[in-house]
Amino acid sequence: MSKRLTRAFFSRSVHLVAPDLIGVTLLFGGAGGRIVEVEAYDHTDPAAHSFRGPTPRNAVMFGPAGFAYVYRSYGIHWCLNFVCEPKGSASAVLIRAIEPTTGLPVMRRRRGVTDDRLLCSGPGRLCEALRISGADNRLALDAAPFELLARSGAVEIVVGPRIGLTKAADKPWRYGLKGSRYLSKPFGRLARRSA
DNA sequence: TGCCCGATTAACT
DNA sequence: GTTAATCGGGCAA
């Protein structure tokens, strides 16, 4: 049985938290799986929503660590982020892909696909599979319906540039589980690190 | 108030 | 590889 992540886990720099999330199990309302891909955003980052200061949409990013920031993307999809420290730095980790392990039937139904590799391999897809929406913005990550379980062993992590950005597209702040078949997109030249 | 564009996805050619 | 779908946020006027 894995240990639940506490708020202390998120009360660190986003650049430490992001790679540490790879391999963590994310469940929402009992469905979900293992995190295999994330991206880090901080307030010095022109690509981050928080870059231009607090607004009603991004307010939760300016609050304490350990809460969910959910926003609508391209008017269609929802994207899930975890707010990190230090407080006021307005940094967060975008959860981009998970390997589905729990609640597969309900997730297949919500997504309308049978191929499990398409269930949660993308930020919009995983929110649809877990039924996460704007109503879940500001929820605490250490309480139901969220359940975050620490990884059990070491994992090999690959690093690369973030996906879909026009600003700061060169920053290597995307992290993935090496060799995972559930990434939203493959990584290029594999920079390797252990954790 | 109006305008532009995006931390995406799926369905095309 | 290209493109439509679709709409709220952020900024200029």
Side-chain angles (χ1 to χ4, degrees):
Chain A
M1 193 69 179
S2 300
K3 228 168 82 175
R4 282 168 173 272
L5 298 188
T6 64
R7 187 165 307 180
F9 178 91
F10 298 98
S11 300
R12 296 178 291 147
S13 160
V14 68
H15 301 294
L16 297 175
V17 174
D20 278 358
L21 280 169
I22 301 299
V24 166
T25 295
L26 162 63
L27 302 179
F28 185 83
R34 214 173 151 214
I35 297 173
V36 296
E37 182 185 343
V38 302
E39 287 176 359
Y41 291 82
D42 75 31
H43 72 302
T44 66
D45 176 4
H49 290 172
S50 56
F51 182 63
R52 294 178 186 280
T55 66
R57 174 175 67 151
N58 66 22
V60 65
M61 289 183 76
F62 289 83
F67 289 83
Y69 168 46
V70 183
Y71 69 91
R72 209 199 253 294
S73 174
Y74 289 87
I76 306 168
H77 310 287
W78 297 104
C79 293
L80 171 65
N81 299 255
F82 295 164
V83 175
C84 296
E85 290 281 288
K87 181 175 177 177
S89 74
S91 59
V93 180
L94 170 68
I95 311 303
R96 287 195 56 90
I98 66 179
E99 172 186 338
T101 61
T102 306
L104 271 68
V106 68
M107 291 196 289
R108 291 188 190 114
R109 206 153 53 235
R110 290 167 179 167
R111 289 272 298 119
V113 300
T114 52
D115 183 349
D116 290 345
R117 291 174 68 163
L118 297 177
L119 266 190
C120 305
S121 297
R125 290 168 175 170
L126 81 86
C127 282
E128 185 174 36
L130 273 56
R131 195 170 282 166
I132 290 171
S133 75
D136 305 306
N137 192 35
R138 297 173 178 274
L139 287 185
L141 299 174
D142 57 358
F146 278 106
E147 194 174 352
L148 286 152
L149 304 173
R151 62 189 177 211
S152 44
V155 293
E156 281 195 292
I157 295 172
V158 289
V159 182
R162 295 173 294 179
I163 303 289
L165 302 185
T166 56
K167 301 171 211 165
D170 54 311
K171 299 247 171 86
W173 289 350
R174 177 182 180 225
Y175 302 91
L177 177 64
K178 185 186 178 188
S180 173
R181 298 170 24 240
Y182 297 91
L183 300 172
S184 65
K185 287 186 180 159
F187 280 75
R189 292 181 78 122
L190 302 183
R192 217 175 69 162
R193 28 199 283 189
S194 55

